[in-house]
Structure formats: C-alpha cells, structure tokens
C-alpha cells in the first residue's frame, strides 16, 4: 500500500491534444478519436479521486503557423488560437483546476511534444512528479513525441492504449512497440 501511495503522490495524468480539430469533424481528424473519451474520462475521475495533478496539452497555433500547408508545412490549418477547433472536446471531462499547456504558439516553430517550449518538465519536477500516465491524440504524432520526451527527461511513463488513436491506424502497433522498447509501459 505504501508503494502504491508513493506512486500516486508522485504521478500525474497527461492528456495530449484532445481537441475538436483532431476529433471527428475537425480539420485534422484522427480516425475513431472520440472512442478514447470514455476511458480517458475514467482516468480523469480516478486521478481526481487520488488528488493527482491533471495536465492537458493543446496545439495553440497562430493563424499563419509554420506547420500549415500554405507556409510549406505538412498540415492543413488546425487548432488556431481561440477558434472552436482549438477547444478541448466538449465530452472531455476536464476539471477546472487542470493545468493547461499550450504548444506550437509561435509563428515559425512547430511543437509536437507537450514538453516542446512549454517548461512542462520543470513544472513537473518542482511538484516532485516522476511518473506520467499519458493518453491523447494522435498516437503517431504528438503522443509519440510526448512519451519519448518524457522518457528522455527521466520520467516513468504509462501509456493507456484505449486512451489514444493514431492518425494512421495501420502504424499504431509499430508505434506502441517503439514506445515500449524506449521504456514506456503500455496497457
């Protein structure tokens, strides 16, 4: 029991980019994205009950962002600041006191990981957090980058497969195996 309590006290739930533009009907929709909402909401409820820190990252792009096709980037416009597409999915039961982390906010730099240019690593370290449970969208893009960065920064990582979907579903299994080999625990 003491070991479990220690893990809970030093753990956080990290929700990666569960935003309207990445869900069905969005400008960069991930197939079956809304299927993650019931298991993610259960994790949120458990984390709240345990008093864990809950963090939600989001793409928060400028209108003329470098990642957009019009600027030579690979993506259509998505998650533009203060637009409906940038909002968290309405069925995501995100608590009011969840920490919100905005990434990709500059005109000329992109950010896939929730750690890219956000000081998230420092925030977690100040709070004594050493273990992250990670879910979100998309497995093969921002979730992958976030998990790899978290591991690189020395965090232990648990990735819940039911709480993520890939933009390219045919690559999901390879990504899960890559993350396991890198040191993440996948459930």
């Amino acid at each position: 029991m003491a070991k479990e309590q220690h893990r809970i006290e030093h753990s956080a739930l990290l929700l990666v980019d569960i935003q309207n533009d990445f869900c069905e009907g969005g400008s960069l929709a991930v197939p079956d994205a809304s299927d993650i909402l019931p298991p993610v909401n259960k994790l949120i409820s458990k984390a709240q009950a345990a008093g864990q820190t809950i963090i939600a990252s989001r793409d928060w792009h400028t209108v003329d962002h470098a990642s957009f096709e019009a600027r030579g980037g690979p993506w259509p416009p998505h998650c533009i600041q203060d637009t409906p597409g940038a909002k968290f999915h309405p069925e995501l039961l995100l608590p009011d006191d969840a920490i919100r982390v905005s990434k990709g906010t500059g005109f000329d730099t992109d950010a896939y990981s929730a750690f890219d240019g956000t000081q998230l690593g420092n925030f977690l370290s100040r709070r004594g957090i050493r273990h992250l449970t990670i879910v979100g969208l998309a497995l093969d893009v921002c979730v992958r980058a976030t998990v790899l960065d978290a591991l690189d920064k020395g965090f232990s990582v648990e990735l819940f497969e039911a709480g993520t979907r890939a933009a390219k579903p045919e690559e999901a299994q390879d990504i899960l195996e890559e993350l396991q080999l890198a040191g993440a625990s996948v459930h």
Side-chain angles (χ1 to χ4, degrees):
M1 179 64 180
K3 186 176 181 181
E4 179 66 21
Q5 184 62 32
H6 178 76
R7 195 179 118 203
I8 288 171
E9 289 173 0
H10 299 283
S11 298
L13 175 61
L14 177 53
L15 314 169
V16 178
D17 303 356
I18 306 175
Q19 296 168 266
N20 289 330
D21 272 345
F22 297 129
C23 294
E24 292 83 354
S27 65
L28 196 51
V30 173
D32 303 318
S34 63
D35 290 351
I36 74 168
L37 292 165
V40 167
N41 285 334
K42 283 182 186 176
L43 287 173
I44 291 170
S45 180
K46 283 177 64 175
Q48 282 185 291
Q52 289 181 326
T53 300
I54 299 171
I55 302 149
S57 74
R58 64 183 177 180
D59 269 6
W60 196 245
H61 296 317
T62 57
V63 173
D64 192 28
H65 193 258
S67 71
F68 297 166
E69 293 162 335
R71 291 269 322 268
W75 311 113
H78 64 280
C79 300
I80 296 170
Q81 297 171 2
D82 296 316
T83 65
K87 290 183 179 179
F88 292 109
H89 192 284
E91 293 176 31
L92 180 66
L93 301 179
L94 190 62
D96 290 339
D97 63 349
I99 307 299
R100 283 132 174 100
V101 175
S102 300
K103 60 188 181 64
T105 60
F107 284 98
D108 295 324
T109 44
D110 204 3
Y112 293 106
S113 168
F115 291 91
D116 283 346
T118 64
Q119 299 298 310
L120 178 58
N122 293 339
F123 170 80
L124 296 170
S125 294
R126 279 196 318 271
R127 289 196 164 202
I129 293 168
R130 295 190 285 278
H131 175 82
L132 295 173
T133 300
I134 298 177
V135 294
L137 301 169
L139 171 64
D140 45 341
V141 187
C142 295
V143 171
R144 175 184 176 272
T146 299
V147 168
L148 292 173
D149 273 1
L151 291 167
D152 188 54
K153 293 180 183 307
F155 294 97
S156 67
V157 174
E158 195 171 11
L159 175 67
F160 275 86
E161 188 174 351
T164 188
R165 291 293 181 276
K168 296 179 182 174
E170 66 278 6
E171 295 179 10
Q173 193 56 45
D174 289 341
I175 299 296
L176 293 171
E177 289 172 14
E178 174 194 5
L179 297 177
Q180 280 183 306
L181 285 172
S185 172
V186 177
H187 299 282

